[in-house]
Amino acid sequence: MLGLISHLVVASALSTGGDHTVSLSGHYASVDSHGGGVALRYTLGLDDFWNFTTDAAWSGVPGSDGAPMQHVVTGSVGILYHLDAFEWVPYLIFALEGTGALRVGEADREGLGLQLGGGIDYRGGPGWSVGLGGLWHRVIWGDAPTHATWLARVNLHF
C-alpha cells in the first residue's frame, strides 16, 4: 500500500509550471477525403494544469475523382488544460488557428478559425510520454476546409 501511495505522489508531481514539452505526432486526416500527416507541438507549462501551446501540422489528402493531392497546412496558438494527477493524463486544447490548403492547378484556400480537441497521454516517466488524441479544425473566416485529425504522439518533457 505504501508503494502505491508513493507512486501516486511521484506521478502527480511529474509536471509543474515552467515545464517544456515538444511533441511529434502522426495523424489520420479527414478533409475532403482521407489522408495522413504529421505535426510538431511545443507546450510551456504555466502551472500544474494550464499550458501555453503552439503547433504546426501538414496533412496530405488524395483528391477524389482524379483530382490532384490536397496539402493542408495549419498553425495554431492556444491553451492546453490537462489534469496531471496520475500516469494517465487527459487534456483539452483550445487554440486559434490559421489554415492553408493547396491543390496543384487550383487556387490556394486560406482561413482562420479554431482548433478544439483533446486526448490522453501515458506519462511513463518525468522525461517522456505517449498519447492519443483528436482535433477539430473549424475554419470560421475564409475558404480553407474545416477538417478533423486523429493522432498518436510522442512527447519529450524538459
Side-chain angles (χ1 to χ4, degrees), residues 21-84:
T21 302
V22 175
S23 304
L24 179 63
S25 64
H27 61 257
Y28 158 80
S30 176
V31 184
D32 297 327
S33 63
H34 308 284
V38 293
L40 183 64
R41 179 177 295 275
Y42 168 75
T43 304
L44 172 65
L46 302 174
D47 62 23
D48 288 349
F49 302 100
W50 294 98
N51 300 267
F52 166 79
T53 187
T54 184
D55 80 0
W58 167 85
S59 299
V61 182
S64 57
D65 299 328
M69 179 175 232
Q70 180 173 211
H71 300 275
V72 179
V73 177
T74 61
S76 71
V77 174
I79 295 294
L80 183 144
Y81 176 81
H82 63 80
L83 181 58
D84 188 12

Side-chain angles (χ1 to χ4, degrees), residues 3-145:
L4 175 62
I5 292 171
S6 67
H7 180 71
L8 294 178
V9 170
V10 170
S12 67
L14 289 175
S15 179
T16 59
D19 278 359
H20 302 270
T21 302
V22 175
S23 304
L24 179 63
S25 64
H27 61 257
Y28 158 80
S30 176
V31 184
D32 297 327
S33 63
H34 308 284
V38 293
L40 183 64
R41 179 177 295 275
Y42 168 75
T43 304
L44 172 65
L46 302 174
D47 62 23
D48 288 349
F49 302 100
W50 294 98
N51 300 267
F52 166 79
T53 187
T54 184
D55 80 0
W58 167 85
S59 299
V61 182
S64 57
D65 299 328
M69 179 175 232
Q70 180 173 211
H71 300 275
V72 179
V73 177
T74 61
S76 71
V77 174
I79 295 294
L80 183 144
Y81 176 81
H82 63 80
L83 181 58
D84 188 12
F86 303 104
E87 290 177 41
W88 293 95
V89 183
Y91 63 90
L92 299 172
I93 294 173
F94 173 81
L96 299 176
E97 179 175 85
T99 303
L102 168 68
R103 191 181 307 250
V104 176
E106 295 183 12
D108 294 353
R109 301 180 337 177
E110 301 165 344
L112 294 173
L114 303 174
Q115 181 186 93
L116 305 171
I120 190 162
D121 288 340
Y122 171 74
R123 187 132 186 203
W128 66 275
S129 62
V130 294
L132 299 172
L135 297 169
W136 182 52
H137 308 267
R138 173 68 171 119
V139 174
I140 296 173
W141 175 82
D143 59 354

